[in-house]
Amino acid sequence: MFQSFDSAGDPSVGKPRVALLRQWLKENALDGFIVPRADEHQGEYVAPRSNRLRWLTGFSGSAGVAIVLVRSAYIFVDGRYTLQVRDEVDLDIFTVESLIDNPPSLWIRESLPKGTRLGFDPWLHTMGEVKALTAAAEKVGAVLVPLARNAIDAIWEDQPDAPLAPVEIHPEAFAGELAKDKLKRLTAAIENDGATHAILTDPSSLAWAFNIRGGDVPHTPLALGFAILAADGSHAVFMDKRKLGRTEEAYLTQLADIKAPSKLDDAVTALAKSGAKIALDPVLAADRLRALIEDNGGTVVQVPDPARLPRATKNAAEISGSRAAHRRDGAAVAKLLCWLDRQEPGKLDEIAVVTKLEECRRTTGEETQMPLRDVSFDTISGAGPNGAIMHYRVSKATSRVLAEGELFLLDSGAQYQDGTTDITRTMPVGKPTEEMRERFTLVLKGMIAISLARFPKGTRGADIDALARIALWKCGLDYAHGTGHGVGSYLAVHEGPQRIAKTGMEKLLAGMILSNEPGYYKEGHYGIRLENLILVTPAGELSGGDIAMHGFETLTLAPFDQRLLRADLLTREELDWLNVYHARVLAEIGPMLDGETLAWLENATAQIA
């Protein structure tokens, strides 16, 4: 099994560990400490060693921050986790704050007492974060204190070791471009930015640039490490050699010098002292790197990670691989949904569905000689009220039976060597209510609106986010998450910089893959989310127009549950889209199925009058 169902609950979390932290703060003349859900790379997924927020608070979500003071403690989460945090965190110890409406920098400016000495680990906060936190602290007369050692590391006695998963070479057949050619493009970008060097801090960029993959964090094939790229081509990779076999070490040595992670500080310091101009992404790079450069006479060039846009705009091989992965994944999902339809209400629980879905993906991969490498995130398997918890993580303690009259939300994804998938479907258990059917259809209308969108060059995700919400807004409804995130190519299932959201400021470029996932959540009752992955297609001329327009190709192939559909709420254009989509699903994944599953798919994709 790729997914664990252990509960986040732990009697030693919360009060006892906060007490240990407060004692450490007292001994080190500090009044508080900031604990982000982050590692040195600022990634969504972190190794067990780096999940300090969960160790301290019990919170298992992918985004959050705690601030622990001598007499009070706070945990900041976004709208995805407002229900989850109440179940996982001791609210007698922690006060919940909004990471969006009242982020730590704003909270510090409005709530932190004058004279407070607030410690932080400069490896775990980006340059931009530290700048905002420092400005807020100065405004109220507090002091932000960078620490040489993380306070949690000092009190966490059984902290796991750093991960040492083996590195593997990502073949050119899937990467679509040799690493040496990618590095030439990146060095040209460094020169164009007016820098002599750039530090790649994001392991996804390291993986993409050098065509390597690993297994240091859950569900994302990353090898943790850093790279210093030089405009003159003399690159260095900072990674534990114990991750490298003989072949992998020989491969990397042709591209860069391989150095121990412990040598990074010295290397950055030496470059800074030589007068180097070093590019850092202020959104991604740890503030510790900025300080090392500036304190040693170097110049920080604040520019985006040079690999982010090239990585986000997939090449022909990556696009072809994604299409193949989605056909295979669609067949696996069809097997699961067919099986699910045969089960009686009240006989299955959430964990049983997750286990069966993983089995379907494994066996389909074996049949097609493209094995399932991992799930791309912990499957969200939410029955009834658990479906209303947007990023619910099923555990043995929380797993519910799929009961008559409820909705079941299943959000899952897979990692294959040729592509990363992410799909959500919502199904009725027994007979749905009319309210459920109406709101399911409103969510589907939002998904179709994005699928049908045409947009000119320069359009950003923020410019089209409202398309997915209008049908809900007209009924006084909405959802508290973005409509779409970027997706990597056998990399992170949540990849920047592209996204469809109110905060999506990146232009949507041909080759970018995003999710399309509007939803609706009725707290304590049910959740509805529908998700396909979509590919930004090149601009082309539309009939009768004079402006070249981009559009979307839908990659995900799985039917929508027609028992929840109110066709009378769809326009003719929306209904036509749905019928064409279902016909395509049958045509593309039908040949991979037979018997009962094929018969089920034919019925599930039947044309709607």
Side-chain angles (χ1 to χ4, degrees), residues 238-258:
F238 296 82
M239 183 180 294
D240 195 317
K241 283 191 177 183
R242 287 177 292 176
K243 299 178 186 181
L244 303 174
R246 185 175 299 175
T247 301
E248 291 74 24
E249 183 174 354
Y251 166 79
L252 273 180
T253 300
Q254 296 175 41
L255 301 168
D257 292 333
I258 305 172

Side-chain angles (χ1 to χ4, degrees), residues 34 67 69 74 76 97 100-116 118 128-144:
I34 308 174
I67 296 179
L69 303 176
Y74 305 84
F76 300 76
E97 296 285 352
I100 305 303
D101 299 330
N102 190 29
S105 57
L106 180 59
W107 180 89
I108 286 172
R109 194 161 61 241
E110 296 183 350
S111 306
L112 201 65
K114 183 178 181 180
T116 301
L118 185 62
E129 289 171 349
V130 172
K131 182 178 180 181
L133 292 170
T134 300
E138 289 175 349
K139 187 161 186 177
V140 296
V143 179
L144 203 63

Side-chain angles (χ1 to χ4, degrees), residues 28 40 264 381 500 508 512:
N28 288 272
E40 295 86 345
L264 179 62
S381 175
I500 302 172
L508 300 180
M512 288 180 168

Side-chain angles (χ1 to χ4, degrees), residues 100-386:
I100 305 303
D101 299 330
N102 190 29
S105 57
L106 180 59
W107 180 89
I108 286 172
R109 194 161 61 241
E110 296 183 350
S111 306
L112 201 65
K114 183 178 181 180
T116 301
R117 287 173 51 80
L118 185 62
F120 75 101
D121 183 341
W123 273 114
L124 305 187
H125 298 268
T126 67
M127 297 162 57
E129 289 171 349
V130 172
K131 182 178 180 181
L133 292 170
T134 300
E138 289 175 349
K139 187 161 186 177
V140 296
V143 179
L144 203 63
V145 183
L147 303 181
R149 187 185 183 194
N150 188 287
I152 300 299
D153 295 353
I155 62 173
W156 189 352
E157 291 186 354
D158 57 350
Q159 186 176 22
D161 293 331
L164 291 172
V167 168
E168 63 178 45
I169 300 167
H170 192 50
E172 185 189 0
F174 301 123
E177 185 180 7
L178 292 173
K180 66 182 182 64
D181 295 326
K182 291 180 176 180
L183 291 168
K184 286 178 182 177
R185 286 205 280 152
L186 296 182
T187 54
I190 293 167
E191 285 188 306
N192 288 339
D193 288 332
T196 59
H197 299 78
I199 303 178
L200 298 186
T201 63
D202 183 346
S204 286
S205 292
L206 181 68
W208 178 87
F210 288 89
N211 283 347
I212 57 173
R213 299 295 188 267
D216 284 340
V217 299
H219 311 318
T220 306
L222 299 178
L224 297 182
F226 294 88
I228 298 179
L229 303 186
D232 64 7
S234 56
H235 311 312
V237 170
F238 296 82
M239 183 180 294
D240 195 317
K241 283 191 177 183
R242 287 177 292 176
K243 299 178 186 181
L244 303 174
R246 185 175 299 175
T247 301
E248 291 74 24
E249 183 174 354
Y251 166 79
L252 273 180
T253 300
Q254 296 175 41
L255 301 168
D257 292 333
I258 305 172
K259 301 183 179 183
S262 60
K263 300 297 183 183
L264 179 62
D265 279 23
D266 291 343
V268 174
T269 298
L271 286 175
K273 287 182 175 179
S274 73
K277 298 178 179 179
I278 303 175
L280 292 177
D281 188 329
V283 177
L284 296 173
D287 192 65
R288 168 65 176 166
L289 293 170
R290 175 206 59 79
L292 275 175
I293 295 167
E294 293 183 346
D295 291 350
N296 288 284
T299 301
V300 172
V301 180
Q302 296 195 30
V303 291
D305 175 342
R308 291 193 96 195
L309 276 181
R311 187 181 77 232
T313 49
K314 310 300 186 282
N315 59 41
E318 291 170 323
I319 291 170
S320 176
S322 184
R323 289 175 179 143
H326 279 90
R327 284 192 293 271
R328 205 163 46 248
D329 206 55
V333 170
K335 293 175 185 177
L336 180 282
L337 295 178
C338 174
W339 171 83
L340 191 59
D341 260 8
R342 299 198 306 267
Q343 312 306 311
E344 293 182 22
K347 298 295 185 181
L348 289 177
D349 68 2
E350 296 164 347
I351 289 177
V353 179
V354 177
T355 303
K356 181 65 176 181
L357 177 56
E358 191 170 306
E359 176 191 321
C360 291
R361 284 187 163 125
R362 282 183 187 275
T363 56
T364 303
E366 291 166 359
E367 293 165 1
T368 56
Q369 284 76 55
M370 184 59 75
L372 174 68
R373 305 297 295 268
D374 199 344
V375 294
S376 55
F377 57 94
D378 284 333
T379 299
I380 299 170
S381 175
N386 284 348

Side-chain angles (χ1 to χ4, degrees), residues 275-580:
K277 298 178 179 179
I278 303 175
L280 292 177
D281 188 329
V283 177
L284 296 173
D287 192 65
R288 168 65 176 166
L289 293 170
R290 175 206 59 79
L292 275 175
I293 295 167
E294 293 183 346
D295 291 350
N296 288 284
T299 301
V300 172
V301 180
Q302 296 195 30
V303 291
D305 175 342
R308 291 193 96 195
L309 276 181
R311 187 181 77 232
T313 49
K314 310 300 186 282
N315 59 41
E318 291 170 323
I319 291 170
S320 176
S322 184
R323 289 175 179 143
H326 279 90
R327 284 192 293 271
R328 205 163 46 248
D329 206 55
V333 170
K335 293 175 185 177
L336 180 282
L337 295 178
C338 174
W339 171 83
L340 191 59
D341 260 8
R342 299 198 306 267
Q343 312 306 311
E344 293 182 22
K347 298 295 185 181
L348 289 177
D349 68 2
E350 296 164 347
I351 289 177
V353 179
V354 177
T355 303
K356 181 65 176 181
L357 177 56
E358 191 170 306
E359 176 191 321
C360 291
R361 284 187 163 125
R362 282 183 187 275
T363 56
T364 303
E366 291 166 359
E367 293 165 1
T368 56
Q369 284 76 55
M370 184 59 75
L372 174 68
R373 305 297 295 268
D374 199 344
V375 294
S376 55
F377 57 94
D378 284 333
T379 299
I380 299 170
S381 175
N386 284 348
I389 303 172
M390 281 174 265
H391 275 222
Y392 168 67
R393 180 182 180 276
V394 59
S395 69
K396 293 174 183 176
T398 64
S399 184
R400 293 184 79 256
V401 167
L402 279 61
E404 173 74 37
E406 293 186 339
L407 293 184
F408 175 58
L409 187 156
L410 186 64
D411 185 348
S412 70
Q415 293 283 11
Y416 306 99
Q417 197 171 19
D418 56 351
T420 300
T421 72
D422 185 359
I423 173 176
T424 308
R425 292 295 184 264
T426 302
M427 291 71 68
V429 183
K431 185 177 180 180
T433 66
E434 286 306 302
E435 178 188 273
M436 292 172 177
R437 295 182 68 229
E438 175 204 39
R439 295 186 182 183
F440 175 94
T441 307
L442 294 176
V443 172
L444 180 60
K445 286 171 72 72
M447 166 179 270
I448 295 173
I450 294 293
S451 304
L452 289 170
R454 297 294 180 269
F455 46 93
K457 180 180 180 180
T459 297
R460 307 163 303 168
D463 299 326
I464 64 172
D465 178 73
L467 295 178
R469 303 177 188 269
I470 289 173
L472 288 163
W473 285 352
K474 287 179 178 178
C475 296
L477 309 171
D478 201 2
Y479 51 94
H481 58 75
T483 300
H485 55 81
V487 179
S489 180
Y490 188 42
L491 278 173
V493 73
H494 297 145
E495 176 185 80
Q498 72 275 26
R499 60 194 311 245
I500 302 172
K502 297 170 186 176
T503 55
M505 296 295 111
E506 193 66 40
K507 295 176 183 177
L508 300 180
L509 304 177
M512 288 180 168
I513 295 176
L514 303 104
S515 67
N516 173 11
E517 51 179 312
Y520 169 74
Y521 310 90
K522 186 172 183 178
E523 184 176 345
H525 294 83
Y526 61 83
I528 298 167
R529 185 161 64 250
L530 301 172
E531 177 185 19
N532 283 343
L533 296 194
I534 52 178
L535 169 72
V536 181
T537 58
E541 294 183 8
L542 294 180
S543 177
D546 55 9
I547 300 176
M549 293 285 172
H550 289 82
F552 292 119
E553 172 192 335
T554 297
L555 298 171
T556 305
L557 297 166
F560 299 98
D561 201 305
Q562 296 189 28
R563 293 169 295 184
L564 281 169
L565 182 68
R566 275 192 53 186
D568 61 301
L569 295 180
L570 298 181
T571 66
R572 169 51 58 187
E573 184 182 35
E574 292 166 342
L575 192 58
D576 287 347
W577 181 91
L578 184 59
N579 280 328
V580 169

